[in-house]
Amino acid sequence: MSLLHSLFGHSVGKKLLMAGSGLLLLLFLAVHLMGNLQLFSGPETLNAYAHFLHSKPALVWGARLGMLLLFGVHMVTSILLTLENRAARPVPYHQEATIKATLASRTMIWSGLVVAAFLVYHLLHLTLHAAGPALTAEGGIDVYATVVAGFQVPAIAGFYLLAQILLFFHLMHAFQSAFQTLGWRHRRFTPVLEKLGLAYALVIAGGNCAIVLSVWNGFVR
Ligand code: HEM
């Protein structure tokens, strides 16, 4: 209890929680993309993968609760830190333009909130199946057909693509920022981390866009 209190009670603690939860979410995105790329191997492969995951309820529910905790901690700490920063500096610096901060770093809270809104939509779409899933001949959920039917709708595909652009900017800055918070700030390391962050963001957002665009243009059907 006192550990939680000292972490949430101090801005350094909140920064550590934000960075730690963010790094674990980065890991989730890589694993999630690897699973999703099986769409390119066809319906049998993707559906078998989904079936395997769902046949292990302890694994699925453990991962879901863990993700919920991570997203919750990440969002609460980032919103609290943004509010604290604003309260500490109610009037913005006039020389804002001269401060070495990229657009991505200054808009992290907004790109993060749009990605969170996307996630709510995404869970309704592909986890809770708010519009009803496609079914296999045996009556189970056909994950492949559900994904393909979704991205064949231009408005849905367009929204996913827009979210990936925001996700790209969020991840690009998040990667190096998280390592810096954990103490990896060094004249030699920082430029390397920046490049790795750019590469990571390109792979994740690019991979997700490749899935959406391949369905949209009929390459995957
Ligand atoms: C084109 C990109 C994406 C595709 C095709 C995709 C596909 C899917 C599918 C099919 C599921 C349901 C899995 C199942 O129930 O068997 C799912 C769940 C999920 N996705 Fe995605 N996803 C994409 C992008 C993202 C992104 C960018 C995020 C995070 C920002 C994300 C976070 C999640 C989460 C948290 C779940 C819930 C896992 C669960 O069912 O417990 N996804 N996704």
Side-chain angles (χ1 to χ4, degrees):
M1 208 58 196
S2 74
L3 176 68
L4 266 188
H5 184 261
S6 35
L7 281 173
F8 271 100
H10 297 92
S11 52
V12 175
K14 284 196 279 276
K15 277 189 187 161
L16 286 174
L17 283 173
M18 182 173 73
S21 56
L23 280 177
L24 291 173
L25 289 171
L26 292 182
L27 197 65
F28 162 75
L29 280 176
V31 174
H32 193 44
L33 175 62
M34 283 195 273
N36 290 339
L37 286 175
Q38 298 186 54
L39 186 92
F40 292 111
S41 305
E44 289 79 18
T45 313
L46 185 69
N47 285 342
Y49 170 67
H51 183 74
F52 167 76
L53 290 181
H54 287 274
S55 67
K56 309 258 175 299
L59 181 83
V60 170
W61 281 102
R64 282 180 175 164
L65 291 177
M67 297 293 302
L68 197 66
L69 187 71
L70 288 179
F71 272 111
V73 167
H74 194 69
M75 282 190 67
V76 169
T77 48
S78 55
I79 291 171
L80 288 178
L81 283 166
T82 305
L83 293 176
E84 277 172 22
N85 287 344
R86 294 228 169 121
R89 191 179 53 115
V91 181
Y93 290 132
H94 285 303
Q95 314 91 312
E96 192 127 43
T98 64
I99 295 171
K100 193 177 175 270
T102 60
L103 184 64
S105 74
R106 282 183 283 125
T107 51
M108 283 301 275
I109 188 75
W110 299 112
S111 56
L113 288 173
V114 175
V115 170
F118 158 78
L119 189 57
V120 173
Y121 175 81
H122 180 54
L123 293 182
L124 284 169
H125 175 206
L126 291 177
T127 297
L128 298 172
H129 302 290
L135 298 178
T136 58
E138 298 78 39
I141 292 179
D142 188 335
V143 175
Y144 180 93
T146 309
V147 171
V148 169
F151 297 155
Q152 280 171 343
V153 178
I156 297 180
F159 180 56
Y160 267 77
L161 292 176
L162 185 72
Q164 300 315 305
I165 296 172
L166 278 272
L167 182 69
F168 168 78
F169 285 112
H170 197 81
L171 296 183
M172 185 174 78
H173 180 69
F175 190 90
Q176 52 108 2
S177 175
F179 282 105
Q180 285 208 12
T181 303
L182 297 178
W184 284 43
R185 192 191 292 265
H186 189 279
R187 200 164 30 90
R188 277 171 54 199
F189 293 153
T190 303
V192 177
L193 286 176
E194 278 173 6
K195 288 194 183 75
L196 282 176
L198 177 66
Y200 181 82
L202 271 175
V203 168
I204 299 291
N208 287 340
C209 286
I211 294 174
V212 178
L213 289 170
S214 305
V215 174
W216 199 0
N217 69 22
F219 178 65
V220 170
R221 61 179 84 210

